[in-house]
Amino acid sequence: MRCDVFSIFPDYLSPLNLSLMGKAQAEGLVDLSVHDLRDFTTDRHRSVDDTPYGGGAGMVMAAEPWARALESVIPAGSEVQRPTLIVPSPAGEVFTQARAEELATEDHLVFACGRYEGIDERVLEWAAGHFVVRPMSLGDYVLNGGEVAVLAMVEAIVRLIPGVVGNPLSLVEESHQDGLLEYPVYTKPSRWREADVPEVLLSGNHAKIARFRRDEQLRRTAARRPDLIARLDPAQLDRNDLEILHIEGFAVQNGAVRSVASDPGEN
Ligand code: JEW
């Protein structure tokens, strides 16, 4: 996979040369280039921003440096196999594991890191003629620019490329999560500062261990991510699951898992 990243702070992306990402690059699984957007300016001051039409606070990234930058990575003479252009934005589609899995199968990803109040919208419209354009949000909070979002997205995508993560079984286990949060994990020593590892994990009883872990997944998902509980398919839940969920304040109603009154939650 080829990845091109454009930013006015290319040094911000240097973690991509470390650890897992660095190894993936050294092994030729990923070919990553980080480009300085200012190299595509034409004025003496290398400016990339200007005041917003319609008024308002802050500055907007001007179209021309972006177009020149993006043109530099358009594959020669191919309307077919358009690269995917990911534009981090608080107004984008939310980046999820499903999006990471989809993007991990692409040949060529291009990332456009904005700053200030964002990029002139006409860049995205123009780019749609050469790229599959995907404005993407890392989540519902505001960053100062796209760089941190790109670090997270590239890490989530690249680790799914075959050969990048050492043990492919950990990827298989991950993808088989049934829409629940992970169970808690423990390592030696079995007693640490008065705190014991749950006894069942030392028992060697694999059926009981699996049940314990499933219960913990259900409990923490109910407590921390009730939105995920509401999306469970009741047909995939056994009697034990339903009992745990009931203790946590959920029950099956009209073919869906619903929160049962007693806990009013935040609303
Ligand atoms: C994010 C890119 C570029 C992504 C997620 N645009 C914009 C904008 C900004 C602040 C306030 C309002 C709009 C700053 N900003 C970005 C923010 C991505 C840029 C400039 C971003 N949160 N924030 N998930």
Side-chain angles (χ1 to χ4, degrees):
M1 174 190 282
R2 175 173 172 197
C3 283
D4 290 288
V5 184
F6 292 91
S7 166
I8 59 169
F9 299 119
D11 292 347
Y12 219 127
L13 284 306
S14 57
L16 292 179
N17 298 318
L18 303 173
S19 186
L20 197 85
M21 274 301 307
K23 197 175 141 253
Q25 284 195 76
E27 292 178 8
L29 297 166
V30 176
D31 173 10
L32 174 91
S33 304
V34 180
H35 313 269
D36 186 343
L37 180 70
R38 289 193 198 278
D39 291 346
F40 300 89
T41 57
T42 50
D43 65 313
R44 199 162 61 82
H45 295 104
R46 312 222 307 158
S47 58
V48 295
D49 63 325
D50 212 328
T51 53
Y53 277 117
M59 301 292 273
V60 173
M61 293 190 105
E64 190 57 21
W66 274 113
R68 290 169 51 88
L70 296 174
E71 274 168 346
S72 76
V73 297
I74 295 172
S78 68
E79 283 294 292
V80 284
Q81 290 241 69
R82 289 181 306 169
T84 294
L85 175 63
I86 298 165
V87 186
S89 163
E93 157 196 18
V94 175
F95 180 79
T96 60
Q97 189 65 20
R99 296 289 79 73
E101 284 167 14
E102 180 190 340
L103 293 167
T105 68
E106 296 287 323
D107 267 3
H108 188 186
L109 300 179
V110 181
F111 295 88
C113 300
R115 281 272 153 177
Y116 315 111
E117 303 302 308
I119 302 171
D120 188 316
E121 189 66 23
R122 293 170 295 181
V123 173
L124 282 76
E125 294 162 9
W126 165 83
H130 307 279
F131 301 87
V132 176
V133 180
R134 313 273 306 257
M136 288 212 166
S137 166
L138 205 55
D140 291 339
Y141 40 83
V142 181
L143 304 171
N144 276 333
E147 286 80 5
V148 164
V150 167
L151 287 176
M153 290 189 280
V154 169
E155 182 160 313
I157 293 164
V158 167
R159 66 190 292 281
L160 298 176
I161 295 172
V164 172
V165 162
N167 177 6
L169 264 182
S170 47
L171 288 182
V172 173
E173 210 167 273
E174 250 173 48
S175 68
H176 184 272
Q177 254 190 96
D178 309 322
L180 297 173
L181 300 184
E182 302 277 351
Y183 53 75
V185 297
Y186 305 86
T187 188
K188 291 173 276 296
S190 63
R191 184 178 188 82
W192 172 77
R193 299 192 181 189
E194 322 275 274
D196 287 323
V197 168
E199 206 171 274
V200 61
L201 298 179
L202 312 177
S203 71
N205 183 332
H206 298 296
K208 275 186 112 177
I209 290 169
R211 188 65 255 173
F212 169 79
R213 287 178 165 169
R214 172 98 177 156
D215 292 351
E216 290 299 304
Q217 286 189 277
L218 289 161
R219 285 195 190 101
R220 51 163 59 172
T221 306
R224 302 173 185 175
R225 295 293 304 278
D227 58 311
L228 296 182
I229 296 290
R231 291 164 68 162
L232 293 176
D233 175 6
Q236 301 297 308
L237 302 171
D238 65 20
R239 280 176 51 208
N240 195 318
D241 293 338
L242 293 171
E243 187 182 323
I244 297 290
L245 287 175
H246 199 257
I247 292 166
E248 302 301 326
F250 292 87
V252 175
Q253 283 172 4
N254 307 320
V257 187
R258 295 288 159 77
S259 171
V260 286
S262 65
D263 174 18
E266 288 193 78
N267 302 306

